[in-house]
Amino acid sequence: MPAGAPPSIRRINDKYDKVFVNGCLEPQVNGPRANAAFVVLARNKELEGVIQSIKSIERHFNRWFHYPYVFLNDGDFNSTFKETVLNHTSGPVEWGKIGPDMWGYPDWVDKAVAKEGIQKQGDAAIMYGGMESYHHMCRFYSGFFYKHELLQKYKWYWRLEPEIKYFCDITYDPFIHMEREGKTYGFTIAVKELKETVPNIFRYASAYKRMNNLTSKGLWEMFVEKPKEEPKELPKDDPKYKKPLPEEILNSEPGTGSLPDIDLEAMEGEKYNMCHFWSNFEIARLDWFRSKEYNDFFEMMDRSGGFWMERWGDAPIHSLAAGALLGPKDIHYFRDFGYRHTTIQHCPANAPARQLQRIPWLETTTLDEKKRIEEDEYWASPDPPKENGVGCRCK
Ligand code: GDP
Ligand code: MN
């Protein structure tokens, strides 16, 4: 935090989640490296977008740090793809194939039912809903990537996608800093999911939380819609009042491939606000994904059939798992990373005010409008602190 930062920023960062290093420093290239890799899932046809992403991460980070890359594909990477990637990467590269055990329909699913579900989502013009491969991709990133043999040796991962752009030099090692601060999961953008892709996701996520008697560590609330008015109390004899967990969930037969019709929403009185960490950027501990708790969560979500009968993305899956299992102190908001993917970007120049409104647990009542403006001016100054010639421009 540069000395010139306004007091309100300093206070927020002290109270919630310090930016590890802010402003522009000489890249810290001589420190120890973490046991970490970039993970890129891609197809041959995405080569151009992949190279764009690699150029960007190399220019702004990896030319100093030389972290390895793991490329994954359900098909085979061709030689053009491999050679071109090798011409642009400054760290070791490994090529991994994803087998049918991690991609596509598991044996227990009724394929005909699943395919019909996907077709219906296509007919309903749900974004990517009719695209079978997209469903496979989301399920892979939800419950399998961290089990891939090439990732076993790593403790941390940083997800890269085709067609992403970093705007700012990242002159410190985010893995090392996350490790030092005891962080588990890092994000840079939180957005709202398209409702029609996840109509039942929250019912299952809350059921998981209740079945395992998990009490919120303070992050779950980030995903719960705040009631507009005082919730009406249900009369005690209303059947919806404290209904025990539905039999359908407790005794559900795996492999039906369809969602049981349950009304957990009414029972819980909690509604998903559609907020999620946008997972095309993610820096996280792989051992959290590998934990029994995360895998139980994935298994329950998976067995519900929601990856086929709906179009659950890996982003809300990761986010709701974090909500159920982690607390705010485990999460790091990389507000200092300039990042863009397709149409959505995070620019540090306008981060605090905008992101504070989006992320309830970063909200603070002491932050009045005047301070917000003060912050905006600080972050939006045309020349943010530019000490050793490296800097950040959100263009
Ligand atoms: P979007 O960002 O949600 O629009 O989805 P993308 O099309 O970018 O897909 C997300 C990630 O999964 C990207 O890294 C894609 O390269 C990758 N991906 C998506 N579908 C497939 C697929 O069928 N096979 C492989 N190998 N990668 C895929
Ligand atoms: Mn993408």
Side-chain angles (χ1 to χ4, degrees):
M1 175 67 41
S8 52
I9 295 232
R10 261 178 266 137
R11 201 169 48 242
I12 291 164
N13 289 338
D14 287 349
K15 189 166 172 194
Y16 294 94
D17 186 24
K18 266 184 249 173
V19 173
F20 293 141
V21 175
N22 208 302
C24 305
L25 302 168
E26 205 58 80
Q28 296 167 357
V29 293
N30 294 324
R33 292 290 178 272
N35 181 9
F38 290 106
V39 174
V40 191
L41 174 71
R43 292 159 285 195
N44 289 316
K45 65 178 181 192
E46 291 170 302
L47 179 57
E48 203 182 314
V50 165
I51 296 302
Q52 180 201 307
S53 302
I54 292 177
K55 278 185 178 167
S56 182
I57 195 67
E58 284 290 341
R59 172 174 165 205
H60 289 291
F61 173 75
N62 213 38
R63 63 174 158 142
W64 302 303
F65 293 90
H66 311 302
Y67 272 101
Y69 293 78
V70 176
F71 278 81
L72 299 176
N73 189 354
D74 57 309
D76 293 303
F77 288 114
N78 62 36
S79 54
T80 312
F81 190 99
K82 290 186 187 175
E83 282 160 23
T84 316
V85 164
L86 290 173
N87 281 336
H88 289 87
T89 40
S90 74
V93 179
E94 284 191 283
W95 309 99
K97 181 143 184 188
I98 304 164
D101 54 327
M102 297 192 175
W103 192 275
Y105 298 105
D107 338 325
W108 52 261
V109 94
D110 184 333
K111 269 198 208 176
V113 174
K115 280 174 187 273
E116 197 191 322
I118 290 172
Q119 197 191 329
K120 276 192 187 147
Q121 295 163 58
D123 295 345
I126 290 168
M127 194 174 175
Y128 295 126
M131 200 176 172
E132 201 174 42
S133 63
Y134 197 88
H135 288 259
H136 296 332
M137 180 275 289
C138 292
R139 184 169 175 267
F140 172 75
Y141 258 136
S142 296
F144 298 97
F145 76 98
Y146 49 86
K147 292 181 183 157
H148 195 278
E149 54 168 342
L150 290 183
L151 293 191
Q152 291 316 302
K153 55 185 173 292
Y154 295 114
K155 183 171 175 191
W156 292 91
Y157 100 114
W158 181 335
R159 174 159 159 188
L160 282 187
E161 264 202 19
E163 291 185 62
I164 54 126
K165 208 176 220 166
Y166 286 90
F167 306 123
C168 307
D169 287 342
I170 300 163
T171 51
Y172 62 91
D173 185 325
F175 302 116
I176 294 285
H177 282 67
M178 282 186 73
E179 180 129 13
R180 195 192 62 201
E181 299 288 327
K183 300 288 180 182
T184 298
Y185 185 95
F187 73 100
T188 184
I189 291 175
V191 283
K192 292 212 166 184
E193 186 54 287
L194 300 166
K195 272 198 173 85
E196 61 277 17
T197 65
V198 289
N200 284 287
I201 199 169
F202 198 69
R203 299 172 183 212
Y204 284 92
S206 2
Y208 168 82
K209 200 169 143 269
R210 285 170 55 105
M211 285 164 82
N212 292 284
N213 288 321
L214 298 171
T215 47
S216 167
K217 296 179 184 166
L219 189 64
W220 181 255
E221 290 67 23
M222 172 177 174
F223 305 107
V224 179
E225 190 157 285
K226 291 201 186 105
K228 293 208 177 62
E229 47 190 336
E230 283 300 310
K232 271 181 260 144
E233 245 190 66
L234 289 166
K236 292 250 173 356
D237 53 1
D238 187 302
K240 282 177 179 166
Y241 186 85
K242 292 249 175 203
K243 198 164 73 174
L245 270 171
E247 293 287 308
E248 294 92 324
I249 284 212
L250 286 173
N251 310 319
S252 66
E253 278 293 316
T256 56
S258 63
L259 293 156
D261 182 23
I262 52 169
D263 194 4
L264 281 170
E265 205 171 276
M267 181 184 75
E268 293 272 320
E270 274 185 356
K271 223 178 146 196
Y272 187 25
N273 62 10
M274 301 294 145
C275 190
H276 63 286
F277 303 126
W278 215 30
S279 62
N280 49 71
F281 167 92
E282 242 178 14
I283 299 181
R285 283 181 71 122
L286 288 164
D287 54 0
W288 176 61
F289 284 110
R290 292 182 194 123
S291 68
K292 181 177 184 315
E293 292 75 18
Y294 182 87
N295 284 283
D296 287 350
F297 176 81
F298 170 72
E299 177 99 342
M300 177 175 151
M301 301 305 279
D302 193 28
R303 293 280 165 163
S304 77
F307 287 106
W308 328 112
M309 306 314 285
E310 299 184 359
R311 206 232 68 205
W312 293 356
D314 54 280
I317 291 283
H318 291 186
S319 301
L320 292 171
L325 299 169
L326 303 175
K329 71 168 178 39
D330 304 312
I331 307 292
H332 183 66
Y333 170 26
F334 281 100
R335 75 192 75 193
D336 54 330
F337 282 17
Y339 177 78
R340 183 183 179 101
H341 180 41
T342 59
T343 53
I344 305 181
Q345 71 170 16
H346 167 73
C347 174
N350 53 24
R354 290 188 53 214
Q355 294 289 338
L356 281 173
Q357 284 162 8
R358 262 200 204 127
I359 302 166
W361 51 268
L362 285 173
E363 245 164 29
T364 160
T365 47
T366 61
L367 196 73
D368 61 26
E369 206 47 40
K370 188 166 160 280
K371 287 187 188 117
R372 286 207 171 157
I373 292 164
E374 189 187 8
E375 283 170 11
D376 271 348
E377 283 173 358
Y378 168 75
W379 289 96
S381 64
D383 270 305
K386 198 161 180 295
E387 283 124 41
N388 300 302
V390 286
C392 181
R393 294 289 162 82
C394 295
K395 279 185 199 150

